[in-house]
Amino acid sequence: MNTDVPVIELRHVEKCFGDAHVLKDVSLSVMPGEVVVVIGPSGSGKSTLCRAINRLERIDSGEILILGEPLPEEGHELAAVRAELGMVFQSFNLFAHMSVLRNVTIGPTEVLGVSKAEAEREALELLERVGVASQAKKVPAQLSGGQQQRVAIARSLAMHPRAMLFDEPTSALDPEMINEVLEVMVSLASQGMTMIVVTHEMSFARRVADRVVFMSDGAILEEGTPGAFFEHPKTERAREFLDSIR
Ligand code: ADP
Ligand code: MG
């Protein structure tokens, strides 16, 4: 892999919803193997940023490059790029009527053309890796929230993504389930996965983030190492925000 090209790069991205200016001149590069944690108050544009990277949301101006190539407008090219960017949301978004195993194999068999046997072999490996292999035959509703979120991660990994985007993956979970999901993410990070993680889990950010990006009101106000950002936030907005969640 070319290690000089950012896996994800945003250049001067602007986005409005009607009168609301939701992304303001957002520029961000994520290099291979980097873990970038995005934090900021509710409504600051974090989810819109994640969705824009997958083109689930169109941007008004600026550029988004994936592995140095402009994000395609639509069609097969866009589908191919989406397959390279795993996305895990707050709500687990599993297919309710399918088994856990099928949730993980459907992408590889339907999109990547992998054989059923091969997809199942790999799915079981992935489910093992996230600690839910014993649940493979159940449907999502029979699993806890933490287990479902780990299945969602396995499902993304089954597509062999070049990067993973996590949008508040633990904020819908009961407290006792948060750590089991964070541990899977810590392990992914330690294996070199390129990641953007929107989260308010500060201990996670301190442990795994190479960089913390602070967003407020649609703009990136600060960017730095976790140590620098948490100990010495430069802006009043960041200080207020950190006080509010500590
Ligand atoms: P965050 O994830 O940081 O809480 P969001 O990206 O979800 O912030 O939202 C940023 C702003 O954009 C908010 O003011 C939100 O109300 C607005 N917004 C998000 N999605 C839409 C939409 N589809 N239509 C209109 N406004 C939206
Ligand atoms: Mg959000």
Side-chain angles (χ1 to χ4, degrees):
M1 194 197 303
N2 187 339
T3 51
D4 297 334
V5 178
V7 181
I8 297 168
E9 183 176 7
L10 289 83
R11 296 183 184 159
H12 307 293
V13 168
E14 303 275 347
K15 169 76 186 172
C16 295
F17 287 114
D19 292 341
H21 197 171
V22 175
L23 295 178
K24 299 175 182 164
D25 194 24
V26 171
S27 294
L28 178 69
S29 298
V30 185
M31 298 306 288
E34 237 191 331
V35 178
V36 173
V37 166
V38 180
I39 68 172
S42 179
S44 57
K46 306 179 300 295
S47 293
T48 305
L49 173 76
C50 289
R51 293 169 56 78
I53 293 170
N54 256 328
R55 222 166 195 291
L56 295 171
E57 211 71 78
R58 281 168 180 275
I59 59 173
D60 297 331
S61 65
E63 284 178 277
I64 299 178
L65 306 174
I66 306 299
L67 296 161
E69 300 287 333
L71 196 57
E73 290 283 317
E74 56 192 14
H76 291 303
E77 292 83 4
L78 177 59
V81 171
R82 280 191 181 145
E84 300 202 308
L85 300 172
M87 180 129 188
V88 175
F89 303 90
Q90 179 174 338
S91 54
F92 323 120
N93 299 107
L94 296 173
F95 299 115
H97 58 291
M98 291 179 195
S99 70
V100 162
L101 185 67
R102 186 62 183 138
N103 266 277
V104 182
T105 60
I106 187 163
T109 58
E110 302 301 308
V111 180
L112 303 180
V114 175
S115 73
K116 181 163 175 272
E118 173 59 19
E120 288 188 352
R121 193 194 56 73
E122 196 184 354
L124 285 169
E125 250 173 51
L126 286 167
L127 290 170
E128 186 74 49
R129 195 162 140 197
V130 301
V132 289
S134 60
Q135 314 295 315
K137 294 207 171 93
K138 296 185 181 168
V139 292
Q142 293 172 290
L143 273 58
S144 72
Q147 288 173 326
Q148 289 186 53
Q149 196 60 305
R150 286 181 285 150
V151 173
I153 294 172
R155 183 177 61 174
S156 287
L157 293 175
M159 299 299 282
H160 300 286
R162 300 294 292 269
M164 290 283 291
L165 308 176
F166 292 91
D167 188 3
E168 303 205 34
T170 60
S171 49
L173 298 177
D174 292 334
E176 70 271 21
M177 290 168 193
I178 291 176
N179 278 332
E180 67 195 33
V181 173
L182 291 178
E183 284 310 320
V184 169
M185 294 164 62
V186 168
S187 145
L188 263 183
S190 71
Q191 289 157 18
M193 179 62 81
T194 307
M195 297 167 43
I196 294 181
V197 184
V198 178
T199 185
H200 292 168
E201 294 295 330
M202 295 303 128
S203 60
F204 172 83
R206 282 174 189 273
R207 229 168 120 194
V208 304
D210 295 301
R211 252 184 312 146
V212 174
V213 166
F214 176 70
M215 284 187 79
S216 175
D217 200 18
I220 294 180
L221 286 197
E222 292 194 36
E223 208 174 321
T225 62
F229 177 72
F230 291 120
E231 307 317 326
H232 307 287
K234 296 187 212 87
T235 60
E236 188 57 35
R237 290 299 311 250
R239 276 192 291 274
E240 277 171 22
F241 176 71
L242 287 173
D243 286 344
S244 76
I245 59 168
R246 280 205 260 243

